[in-house]
Amino acid sequence: MKASPGARSWMAAGVRHELLTRALPALRHDMAAPVSVIRMGILLLKRQVTAATNPDASAWGERVALIENQVTALASGVRSLRDWELATHDDGITRSDLVAQCTALMRVAFDLNGIALQVGEDLSPEEGEPSFPSGAALRYMFLGALGYLHDSVPHVGAIDVEANGADGLRFSATQGEPAAADPVAGAHRAPRALAIDAIALQSLADGLGYEVTVEPQEVRFALVTGQATDR
């Protein structure tokens, strides 16, 4: 029996939830770091106020400026959570920014599993490069491709991210040597029941409206909805 449209939508939503869960550790770190700096800055400021007999206005100004900068960074991090909401209109994203943002989110988790994320030189930022619509959807597609290769390729040692034409991306995995079990690294791998397999990745792409090519060790998709990928 074929799944109903509603069931397919729920499946795609489940895949997005799993991908967001995998990205959350990096997102939490980005928001927690400014909080730690703010707390330290306030503590030092309090000590200066308590101990000061001759207030040093310049030193206090530096502390206040530091706190203000970190508050700005924290607010930016909180606002960035909106980037994951598909219902929110966004200004789109360039291909190089998409690659930089998503690889930064997952690099630590992949490194813990001995998987190198390698970005091609043709994905370096360029002046005047085009912006593609639906940045939130493209983030999910990018993380979905990484998740599929991470979960499906045995003993994956590296994942290469390269440009595929003018408006596409190509992800390819290479196998490495089997590594000894590492309980810390294992904590970052999805349980088998939650693994991103080919069906899950195809469901994600269908739900977001992108054409995706899924092979055992390679994924390709265009950054514009409804376009097939070239080899």
Side-chain angles (χ1 to χ4, degrees):
M1 183 175 66
K2 291 185 177 180
S4 67
R8 291 195 294 270
S9 296
W10 275 109
M11 183 176 180
V15 177
R16 294 197 303 272
H17 180 269
E18 170 63 20
L19 294 172
L20 180 57
T21 299
R22 297 187 188 194
L24 273 179
L27 294 172
R28 284 198 303 264
H29 177 271
D30 289 344
M31 286 186 283
V35 173
S36 298
V37 177
I38 290 170
R39 292 179 63 185
M40 181 61 68
I42 292 175
L43 177 61
L44 293 175
L45 193 57
K46 285 182 177 179
R47 289 180 178 177
Q48 287 180 335
V49 171
T50 302
T53 54
N54 296 312
D56 186 344
S58 62
W60 288 10
E62 290 177 1
R63 297 293 181 193
V64 171
L66 173 64
I67 294 172
E68 288 179 339
N69 289 337
Q70 295 304 309
V71 168
T72 300
L74 178 59
S76 176
V78 172
R79 285 196 301 270
S80 72
L81 293 177
R82 294 182 301 182
D83 294 343
W84 300 89
E85 299 176 17
L86 295 177
T88 302
H89 174 76
D90 60 58
D91 297 327
I93 192 169
T94 64
R95 184 165 60 177
S96 63
D97 281 345
L98 174 68
V99 172
Q101 290 179 18
C102 292
T103 53
L105 283 173
M106 304 308 299
R107 191 175 297 280
V108 172
F110 276 55
D111 283 346
L112 285 173
N113 283 295
I115 302 172
L117 286 180
Q118 302 172 160
V119 177
E121 294 182 359
D122 50 2
L123 291 174
S124 299
E126 296 180 0
E127 185 176 354
E129 64 178 306
S131 179
F132 296 91
S134 304
L138 289 172
R139 289 183 188 88
Y140 282 115
M141 285 297 299
F142 193 106
L143 296 183
L146 291 182
Y148 164 74
L149 295 174
H150 176 274
D151 295 352
S152 302
V153 178
H155 313 305
V156 58
I159 296 176
D160 292 295
V161 184
E162 302 170 311
N164 188 40
D167 60 357
L169 288 170
R170 175 178 177 269
F171 303 76
S172 57
T174 54
Q175 292 179 309
E177 295 296 327
D182 184 343
V184 175
H188 290 267
R189 291 193 76 97
R192 187 177 183 86
L194 295 178
I196 307 297
D197 57 14
I199 295 175
L201 181 56
Q202 186 65 61
S203 174
L204 174 71
D206 291 344
L208 296 174
Y210 291 90
E211 295 286 343
V212 64
T213 301
V214 184
E215 299 179 0
Q217 293 185 211
E218 184 174 299
V219 175
R220 301 186 303 279
F221 67 89
L223 305 185
V224 180
T225 55
Q227 289 192 6
T229 57
D230 296 325
R231 184 66 185 175

